[in-house]
Amino acid sequence: MQATQRYSKKREAILGLLRSTTEHPGAEWIYLRLKADYPDLSLATVYRNLNQFKEQGMIMSLGTVNGVERFDGNTEPHVHFICDRCSKVQDLHQLEVPTALCQSAARETGASVSQCWLTFRGECSDCKSIPHQ
Ligand SMILES: [Zn+2]
Ligand SMILES: [Zn+2]
């Protein structure tokens, strides 16, 4: 009984943290932040919960950035910029996916397109001024 309660509290904490941040974190980032409040939390538990949330459509996976899978607590379609150097993920609030783009996708696939997630990649404003080695 108590084990179940603790388990669901951790689950809520993971989801709550993910929904309250714009970091688009990976599992380890979440683990390190919750470890103080939940000393018996394991990284495996964080991974397991993230996968469950993902399967249930409660969070989105942005795929891997420099080898780390990143997650978004905001499941409304929106546009991202990902920095390939520092792994920063930004939401682009002012950029809307043009209807014409969705129509082109529908034309090419013959599908009914309901959502579009657009991701730009490159070097962020901080990184682009740093010379490459
Ligand atoms: Zn960067
Ligand atoms: Zn996002």
Side-chain angles (χ1 to χ4, degrees):
M1 182 79 186
Q2 223 197 340
T4 313
Q5 204 181 10
R6 268 207 309 272
Y7 168 76
S8 68
K9 262 193 183 155
K10 281 184 220 165
R11 198 178 145 81
E12 269 170 38
I14 294 167
L15 189 61
L17 181 60
L18 201 49
R19 287 194 169 152
S20 65
T21 180
T22 54
E23 285 288 324
H24 303 82
E28 216 167 304
W29 187 97
I30 294 170
Y31 168 72
L32 290 173
R33 265 153 195 81
L34 294 179
K35 186 78 185 146
D37 290 335
Y38 304 89
D40 62 336
L41 181 71
S42 70
L43 188 55
T45 302
V46 176
Y47 274 115
R48 196 179 55 239
N49 278 288
L50 287 172
N51 279 323
Q52 283 173 1
F53 292 145
K54 190 169 76 174
E55 277 164 23
Q56 289 161 7
M58 295 162 81
I59 63 171
M60 293 293 299
S61 170
L62 300 176
T64 57
V65 181
N66 292 325
V68 177
E69 186 174 14
R70 303 283 290 267
F71 298 94
D72 197 339
N74 177 6
T75 56
E76 288 294 309
H78 59 280
V79 181
H80 289 109
F81 175 81
I82 298 176
C83 177
D84 287 318
R85 287 182 81 179
C86 70
S87 305
K88 183 165 68 186
V89 178
Q90 286 173 261
D91 289 328
L92 303 191
H93 298 289
Q94 285 159 37
L95 214 154
E96 268 179 51
V97 176
T99 314
L101 190 64
C102 300
Q103 286 166 346
S104 299
R107 225 175 8 252
E108 184 164 344
T109 56
S112 153
V113 174
S114 57
Q115 284 191 359
C116 174
W117 287 76
L118 200 58
T119 303
F120 295 95
R121 297 187 79 127
E123 292 183 0
C124 73
S125 56
D126 293 330
C127 290
K128 71 175 186 188
S129 58
I130 304 168
H132 285 261
Q133 299 292 326

Coordinates of all heavy atoms in Angstrom, one line a residue, residues 76-130:
E76 N 1.5 19.8 -27.0 CA 0.9 20.6 -28.1 C 1.9 20.7 -29.2 O 3.1 21.1 -28.9 CB 0.4 22.0 -27.6 CG -0.8 22.0 -26.7 CD -2.0 21.5 -27.5 OE1 -2.3 22.1 -28.5 OE2 -2.7 20.6 -27.0
P77 N 1.6 20.5 -30.5 CA 2.6 20.7 -31.5 C 3.2 22.1 -31.5 O 2.5 23.1 -31.4 CB 1.8 20.5 -32.8 CG 0.6 19.7 -32.4 CD 0.3 20.1 -31.0
H78 N 4.5 22.1 -31.5 CA 5.2 23.4 -31.5 C 6.6 23.2 -32.2 O 7.0 22.1 -32.4 CB 5.3 24.1 -30.2 CG 6.0 23.3 -29.1 ND1 5.3 22.3 -28.4 CD2 7.2 23.4 -28.6 CE1 6.2 21.8 -27.5 NE2 7.4 22.4 -27.6
V79 N 7.3 24.3 -32.5 CA 8.5 24.2 -33.2 C 9.7 24.3 -32.3 O 9.7 25.1 -31.3 CB 8.5 25.4 -34.2 CG1 9.8 25.4 -35.1 CG2 7.3 25.4 -35.2
H80 N 10.7 23.5 -32.6 CA 12.0 23.5 -31.8 C 13.2 23.9 -32.5 O 13.3 23.7 -33.7 CB 12.2 22.1 -31.2 CG 11.2 21.7 -30.2 ND1 10.3 20.7 -30.4 CD2 11.1 22.1 -28.9 CE1 9.5 20.6 -29.3 NE2 10.0 21.4 -28.4
F81 N 14.1 24.5 -31.8 CA 15.5 24.6 -32.3 C 16.4 23.8 -31.4 O 16.4 24.0 -30.2 CB 16.0 26.1 -32.4 CG 17.4 26.2 -32.8 CD1 17.7 26.1 -34.2 CD2 18.4 26.3 -31.9 CE1 19.1 26.1 -34.5 CE2 19.7 26.3 -32.3 CZ 20.1 26.2 -33.6
I82 N 17.2 23.0 -32.0 CA 18.2 22.2 -31.2 C 19.6 22.5 -31.6 O 20.0 22.5 -32.7 CB 17.9 20.7 -31.4 CG1 16.5 20.3 -30.9 CG2 19.0 19.8 -30.7 CD1 16.2 18.8 -31.2
C83 N 20.4 22.9 -30.6 CA 21.8 23.2 -30.8 C 22.7 21.9 -30.8 O 22.7 21.2 -29.8 CB 22.4 24.2 -29.8 SG 24.1 24.5 -30.1
D84 N 23.4 21.6 -31.9 CA 24.2 20.4 -32.0 C 25.4 20.5 -31.2 O 26.1 19.5 -31.0 CB 24.5 20.1 -33.5 CG 23.3 19.6 -34.2 OD1 22.5 18.8 -33.7 OD2 23.1 20.1 -35.4
R85 N 25.8 21.7 -30.8 CA 27.1 21.8 -30.0 C 26.8 21.7 -28.5 O 27.4 20.9 -27.8 CB 27.8 23.1 -30.4 CG 28.4 23.1 -31.8 CD 29.2 24.3 -32.1 NE 30.5 24.4 -31.5 CZ 31.4 25.4 -31.7 NH1 31.0 26.4 -32.4 NH2 32.6 25.4 -31.1
C86 N 25.9 22.6 -28.0 CA 25.7 22.5 -26.5 C 24.4 21.8 -26.1 O 24.1 21.7 -24.9 CB 25.7 24.0 -26.0 SG 24.2 24.9 -26.4
S87 N 23.7 21.2 -27.1 CA 22.6 20.3 -26.8 C 21.4 21.1 -26.2 O 20.4 20.5 -25.7 CB 22.9 19.2 -25.9 OG 24.0 18.4 -26.3
K88 N 21.4 22.4 -26.3 CA 20.3 23.2 -25.8 C 19.1 23.0 -26.8 O 19.2 23.0 -28.0 CB 20.7 24.7 -25.8 CG 19.6 25.6 -25.2 CD 20.2 27.0 -24.9 CE 20.6 27.8 -26.1 NZ 21.3 29.0 -25.7
V89 N 17.9 22.9 -26.1 CA 16.6 22.8 -26.9 C 15.7 24.0 -26.6 O 15.5 24.3 -25.4 CB 15.9 21.5 -26.6 CG1 14.6 21.4 -27.4 CG2 16.7 20.3 -26.9
Q90 N 15.3 24.7 -27.6 CA 14.5 25.9 -27.4 C 13.2 25.7 -28.1 O 13.1 25.2 -29.2 CB 15.2 27.1 -28.1 CG 16.4 27.7 -27.4 CD 17.0 28.8 -28.2 OE1 18.0 28.5 -28.9 NE2 16.5 30.0 -28.2
D91 N 12.1 26.3 -27.5 CA 10.8 26.4 -28.1 C 10.8 27.7 -28.9 O 11.2 28.7 -28.4 CB 9.7 26.5 -27.0 CG 9.5 25.1 -26.3 OD1 9.7 24.1 -26.9 OD2 9.1 25.2 -25.1
L92 N 10.3 27.6 -30.1 CA 10.1 28.8 -30.9 C 8.6 29.2 -30.9 O 7.8 28.5 -31.5 CB 10.6 28.6 -32.4 CG 12.0 28.1 -32.6 CD1 12.4 28.2 -34.0 CD2 13.0 28.9 -31.8
H93 N 8.3 30.2 -30.1 CA 6.9 30.5 -29.8 C 6.3 31.2 -31.0 O 5.1 31.2 -31.2 CB 6.8 31.3 -28.5 CG 7.2 30.5 -27.3 ND1 6.5 29.5 -26.8 CD2 8.4 30.6 -26.6 CE1 7.2 29.0 -25.8 NE2 8.3 29.7 -25.6
Q94 N 7.1 32.0 -31.7 CA 6.5 32.9 -32.7 C 6.4 32.2 -34.0 O 5.8 32.8 -35.0 CB 7.3 34.2 -32.8 CG 7.1 35.1 -31.6 CD 8.2 36.1 -31.5 OE1 8.8 36.6 -32.4 NE2 8.5 36.4 -30.2
L95 N 7.0 31.1 -34.2 CA 7.0 30.4 -35.5 C 5.9 29.4 -35.6 O 5.8 28.5 -34.8 CB 8.4 29.7 -35.7 CG 8.9 29.7 -37.1 CD1 10.4 29.6 -37.1 CD2 8.3 28.6 -37.9
E96 N 5.0 29.6 -36.5 CA 3.9 28.7 -36.7 C 4.2 27.8 -38.0 O 4.7 28.3 -38.9 CB 2.6 29.4 -36.9 CG 1.9 29.6 -35.5 CD 0.6 30.3 -35.7 OE1 -0.2 29.9 -36.6 OE2 0.4 31.3 -35.0
V97 N 3.8 26.6 -37.9 CA 3.9 25.7 -39.1 C 2.9 26.2 -40.2 O 1.7 26.2 -39.9 CB 3.7 24.3 -38.7 CG1 3.8 23.4 -39.9 CG2 4.7 23.8 -37.7
P98 N 3.4 26.6 -41.4 CA 2.5 27.1 -42.4 C 1.6 26.0 -42.9 O 2.0 24.8 -43.0 CB 3.5 27.5 -43.5 CG 4.8 27.4 -43.0 CD 4.8 26.5 -41.8
T99 N 0.3 26.3 -43.1 CA -0.7 25.4 -43.6 C -0.2 24.7 -44.9 O -0.5 23.5 -45.1 CB -2.0 26.1 -43.8 OG1 -2.3 27.0 -42.7 CG2 -3.2 25.2 -44.0
A100 N 0.5 25.5 -45.7 CA 0.9 25.0 -47.0 C 1.8 23.8 -46.8 O 1.8 22.8 -47.7 CB 1.6 26.1 -47.8
L101 N 2.6 23.8 -45.8 CA 3.5 22.7 -45.5 C 2.8 21.5 -45.2 O 3.1 20.4 -45.7 CB 4.5 23.1 -44.4 CG 5.7 22.2 -44.1 CD1 6.6 22.2 -45.2 CD2 6.4 22.7 -42.8
C102 N 1.7 21.6 -44.3 CA 0.9 20.5 -44.0 C 0.2 19.9 -45.2 O 0.1 18.7 -45.4 CB -0.1 20.9 -42.9 SG 0.6 21.5 -41.4
Q103 N -0.3 20.8 -46.1 CA -1.0 20.4 -47.3 C 0.0 19.6 -48.2 O -0.4 18.6 -48.8 CB -1.6 21.6 -48.0 CG -2.8 22.2 -47.3 CD -3.2 23.5 -47.8 OE1 -2.5 24.2 -48.5 NE2 -4.4 24.0 -47.4
S104 N 1.2 20.1 -48.3 CA 2.2 19.4 -49.1 C 2.4 18.0 -48.6 O 2.5 17.0 -49.4 CB 3.5 20.1 -49.2 OG 3.4 21.4 -49.7
A105 N 2.5 17.9 -47.3 CA 2.8 16.6 -46.7 C 1.6 15.6 -46.9 O 1.7 14.5 -47.2 CB 3.0 16.7 -45.2
A106 N 0.4 16.2 -46.8 CA -0.8 15.4 -47.1 C -0.9 15.0 -48.5 O -1.2 13.8 -48.8 CB -2.1 16.2 -46.8
R107 N -0.5 15.9 -49.5 CA -0.5 15.5 -50.9 C 0.5 14.4 -51.2 O 0.2 13.4 -51.9 CB -0.1 16.8 -51.7 CG -1.0 17.0 -52.9 CD -0.8 18.3 -53.7 NE 0.4 19.1 -53.4 CZ 0.3 20.3 -52.8 NH1 -0.9 20.7 -52.4 NH2 1.4 21.0 -52.5
E108 N 1.7 14.5 -50.7 CA 2.7 13.5 -51.0 C 2.4 12.1 -50.4 O 2.7 11.1 -51.0 CB 4.1 14.0 -50.5 CG 5.2 13.0 -50.9 CD 6.6 13.6 -50.8 OE1 6.7 14.8 -50.7 OE2 7.5 12.7 -50.7
T109 N 1.7 12.1 -49.2 CA 1.5 10.8 -48.5 C 0.1 10.3 -48.8 O -0.2 9.1 -48.6 CB 1.6 11.0 -47.0 OG1 0.8 12.0 -46.6 CG2 3.1 11.3 -46.6
G110 N -0.8 11.2 -49.3 CA -2.2 10.8 -49.4 C -2.9 10.6 -48.0 O -4.0 10.1 -47.9
A111 N -2.2 11.1 -47.0 CA -2.7 10.9 -45.6 C -3.5 12.1 -45.2 O -3.5 13.2 -45.9 CB -1.5 10.7 -44.7
S112 N -4.2 12.0 -44.1 CA -4.8 13.1 -43.5 C -3.9 13.6 -42.4 O -3.7 12.9 -41.4 CB -6.2 12.7 -42.9 OG -6.6 13.5 -41.8
V113 N -3.3 14.8 -42.6 CA -2.3 15.3 -41.6 C -3.0 16.1 -40.5 O -3.7 17.0 -40.8 CB -1.3 16.2 -42.4 CG1 -0.3 16.8 -41.4 CG2 -0.5 15.4 -43.4
S114 N -2.8 15.7 -39.3 CA -3.4 16.4 -38.1 C -2.4 17.2 -37.3 O -2.8 18.1 -36.6 CB -4.1 15.4 -37.3 OG -3.2 14.4 -36.8
Q115 N -1.1 16.8 -37.4 CA -0.1 17.5 -36.5 C 1.2 17.6 -37.3 O 1.5 16.8 -38.1 CB 0.2 16.6 -35.3 CG -0.9 16.7 -34.2 CD -0.4 16.1 -32.9 OE1 0.8 15.6 -32.9 NE2 -1.2 16.1 -31.9
C116 N 1.9 18.6 -36.9 CA 3.3 18.7 -37.5 C 4.2 19.2 -36.4 O 4.0 20.2 -35.8 CB 3.3 19.7 -38.7 SG 4.9 20.0 -39.3
W117 N 5.3 18.5 -36.2 CA 6.3 18.9 -35.3 C 7.5 19.2 -36.1 O 8.0 18.4 -36.9 CB 6.7 17.7 -34.3 CG 5.6 17.5 -33.3 CD1 4.4 16.9 -33.5 CD2 5.7 17.9 -32.0 NE1 3.7 16.9 -32.3 CE2 4.4 17.5 -31.4 CE3 6.6 18.6 -31.2 CZ2 4.2 17.7 -30.0 CZ3 6.3 18.8 -29.9 CH2 5.1 18.4 -29.3
L118 N 8.0 20.4 -36.0 CA 9.1 20.9 -36.8 C 10.3 21.2 -35.9 O 10.1 21.8 -34.9 CB 8.6 22.2 -37.5 CG 9.4 22.6 -38.8 CD1 9.3 21.5 -39.9 CD2 8.7 23.9 -39.3
T119 N 11.4 20.7 -36.4 CA 12.6 20.9 -35.6 C 13.7 21.4 -36.5 O 14.0 20.9 -37.5 CB 13.1 19.5 -35.0 OG1 12.1 19.0 -34.2 CG2 14.3 19.7 -34.1
F120 N 14.3 22.5 -36.0 CA 15.5 23.1 -36.7 C 16.7 22.7 -35.9 O 16.7 22.6 -34.7 CB 15.4 24.6 -36.7 CG 14.3 25.1 -37.6 CD1 13.1 25.5 -37.0 CD2 14.4 25.3 -39.0 CE1 12.0 25.9 -37.8 CE2 13.4 25.8 -39.7 CZ 12.2 26.1 -39.2
R121 N 17.8 22.4 -36.6 CA 19.0 22.1 -35.9 C 20.2 23.0 -36.4 O 20.1 23.5 -37.5 CB 19.4 20.6 -36.0 CG 18.4 19.7 -35.5 CD 18.9 18.3 -35.5 NE 19.9 18.0 -34.4 CZ 19.7 17.0 -33.6 NH1 18.7 16.2 -33.7 NH2 20.6 16.8 -32.7
G122 N 21.2 23.2 -35.5 CA 22.3 24.0 -36.0 C 23.1 24.4 -34.7 O 23.2 23.7 -33.8
E123 N 23.6 25.6 -34.8 CA 24.4 26.2 -33.6 C 23.6 27.3 -33.1 O 23.3 28.3 -33.8 CB 25.8 26.6 -34.1 CG 26.6 25.4 -34.5 CD 28.1 25.8 -34.9 OE1 28.4 27.0 -34.8 OE2 28.8 24.9 -35.2
C124 N 23.4 27.3 -31.8 CA 22.6 28.4 -31.1 C 23.4 29.7 -31.1 O 24.6 29.8 -31.5 CB 22.2 28.0 -29.7 SG 23.6 28.0 -28.5
S125 N 22.7 30.8 -30.7 CA 23.3 32.1 -30.7 C 24.6 32.2 -29.9 O 25.5 32.9 -30.2 CB 22.3 33.1 -30.3 OG 21.8 32.8 -29.0
D126 N 24.7 31.4 -28.8 CA 25.9 31.4 -27.9 C 27.0 30.6 -28.6 O 28.1 31.1 -28.6 CB 25.6 30.7 -26.6 CG 24.6 31.5 -25.7 OD1 24.6 32.7 -25.9 OD2 23.9 30.9 -25.0
C127 N 26.7 29.5 -29.2 CA 27.7 28.6 -29.8 C 28.3 29.1 -31.1 O 29.4 28.8 -31.4 CB 27.2 27.2 -30.0 SG 26.9 26.4 -28.4
K128 N 27.5 29.8 -31.9 CA 27.9 30.1 -33.3 C 29.1 31.1 -33.3 O 29.8 31.1 -34.3 CB 26.8 30.6 -34.1 CG 26.3 32.0 -33.8 CD 25.2 32.5 -34.8 CE 24.9 33.9 -34.5 NZ 23.7 34.4 -35.3
S129 N 29.3 31.8 -32.2 CA 30.4 32.7 -32.1 C 31.7 32.1 -31.6 O 32.8 32.7 -31.7 CB 30.1 33.9 -31.3 OG 29.7 33.5 -30.0
I130 N 31.6 30.9 -31.1 CA 32.8 30.1 -30.6 C 33.4 29.4 -31.8 O 32.8 28.6 -32.5 CB 32.4 29.1 -29.5 CG1 31.6 29.8 -28.4 CG2 33.6 28.4 -29.0 CD1 31.0 28.8 -27.4

